[in-house]
Amino acid sequence: MTQSEIPSIHAHGASIPQIGLGTWQLHGAVLQRAVAAAADAGYRHFDTAPRYENEAELGAALRRTGLPRDSYFLTTKVWFTEASAPAFLASAEASLRRLGTDQVDLLLIHWPSPDVPLAETVGALCEAAARSYTRHIGVANFPARLLERAIELADRPLVANQCEYHPRLDQSAVIEPCRRHGVAFVSYSPIGSGHLLDEPVIGAIARDHGKSPAQIMLRWHLQQGMVAIPRSSSPERVRENIALTDFTLSEAEMARLHALAAPDGRIFNPEWVQSWE
């Protein structure tokens, strides 16, 4: 597997590889093995956040791979409790120190804050870019109305909105404004945090293609033009999750996967979320 086999999504100057390694809950030797396997398999996109408490470990693991810093796309975030301007910029600076880099490729507002005005947080996000802490900026977990507002408030383009997305969750209301504004949609939990691996419809499609259920779901993301950041602690699964370029899902198969969406399909619904509308 080479880097060129996995396409990138282009958004306002950013080139984001469509498959990245999510690192939530990965630590220590498990993280090191996953990153090494990912680098060897052709991943050139890695995603972390202060909330994951693994930025320093990820930075060290990436240096061990020998990959030049300019050869991979690195994302981190700022947690919603750090949404005021001074705290936001301090968080971004601390992330750079922990990661051992002068600049990330993408800095995201991890969640909308229920307490700090969005204008202040977006202003700080733009200031982080002005200070060259990051090449590009974006948001995460923003419903359509807040995404539209953030785009209005920002003095530079938002390149991504990272949200939960998998066949059980209809995200068309958020995907539509992303596409209209040229914002990349980045899917976290793209295989439903493992909850969909035994879904009969997905299993049947997987058998038809001689692929795993995870590969079927990830191919579904790719064919929609999404970026997906699956996480796995298994080097074998890490390698499998990027081996997606030797098959294609038919329109009928894509429709069968879309039809799995359910009203209760959301996995992550934390208490601080005021509304998904």
Side-chain angles (χ1 to χ4, degrees):
M1 172 64 64
T2 63
Q3 180 183 357
S4 62
E5 290 184 52
I6 291 295
S8 293
I9 295 297
H10 301 283
H12 299 292
S15 181
I16 311 174
Q18 274 192 273
I19 294 294
L21 182 70
T23 64
W24 179 56
Q25 295 182 324
L26 299 184
H27 299 277
V30 172
L31 174 64
Q32 291 178 32
R33 286 193 295 270
V35 171
D40 184 62
Y43 286 72
R44 296 298 182 266
H45 177 185
F46 300 87
D47 181 277
T48 185
R51 184 71 170 182
Y52 305 167
E53 298 181 340
N54 64 8
E55 286 176 308
E57 292 177 293
L58 176 60
L62 285 168
R63 287 189 289 277
R64 288 190 195 98
T65 68
L67 291 174
R69 174 62 192 90
D70 61 1
S71 72
Y72 59 86
F73 192 94
L74 181 60
T75 299
T76 194
K77 313 173 187 77
V78 175
W79 193 241
F80 77 93
T81 57
E82 311 300 311
S84 68
F88 191 100
L89 292 167
S91 175
E93 290 175 346
S95 287
L96 296 180
R97 288 195 297 272
R98 287 188 292 265
L99 286 162
T101 187
D102 294 331
Q103 187 180 57
V104 293
D105 297 288
L106 180 58
L107 182 67
L108 304 177
I109 301 171
H110 203 156
W111 292 85
S113 169
D115 304 312
V116 178
L118 184 59
E120 179 175 352
T121 308
V122 171
L125 178 67
C126 294
E127 177 62 23
R131 295 185 184 187
S132 296
Y133 296 166
T134 182
R135 294 175 60 217
H136 305 286
I137 59 172
V139 296
N141 300 295
F142 269 48
R145 61 180 177 82
L146 283 185
L147 174 64
E148 298 269 15
R149 180 62 177 146
I151 289 169
E152 291 174 359
L153 292 168
D155 64 10
R156 62 189 67 214
L158 301 184
V159 307
N161 187 12
Q162 184 181 125
C163 300
E164 178 185 346
Y165 187 41
H166 44 74
R168 191 73 78 191
L169 180 62
D170 177 10
Q171 286 282 38
S172 55
V174 183
I175 291 168
E176 187 280 326
C178 284
R179 288 181 169 155
R180 179 159 35 87
H181 291 287
V183 174
F185 189 99
V186 181
S187 308
Y188 73 78
S189 191
I191 59 175
S193 293
H195 297 303
L196 300 182
L197 295 177
D198 294 325
E199 162 59 47
V201 169
I202 298 172
I205 296 172
R207 287 190 296 275
D208 287 345
H209 286 275
K211 300 296 180 181
S212 73
Q215 287 173 310
I216 296 302
M217 286 184 274
L218 292 169
R219 183 71 202 181
W220 177 78
H221 286 277
L222 260 60
Q223 289 184 211
Q224 292 179 72
M226 307 303 174
V227 176
I229 48 171
R231 179 209 64 194
S232 178
S233 60
S234 161
E236 179 183 355
R237 294 286 182 266
V238 168
R239 289 187 287 268
E240 180 183 274
N241 286 345
I242 202 171
L244 306 170
T245 59
D246 62 346
F247 73 103
T248 302
L249 299 176
S250 68
E251 289 186 13
E253 288 169 330
M254 292 289 288
R256 290 173 69 193
L257 292 169
H258 279 293
L260 295 174
D264 61 349
R266 191 179 299 277
I267 297 169
F268 298 97
N269 192 19
E271 60 185 11
W272 57 78
V273 174
Q274 294 180 317
S275 172
W276 288 110
E277 300 301 321

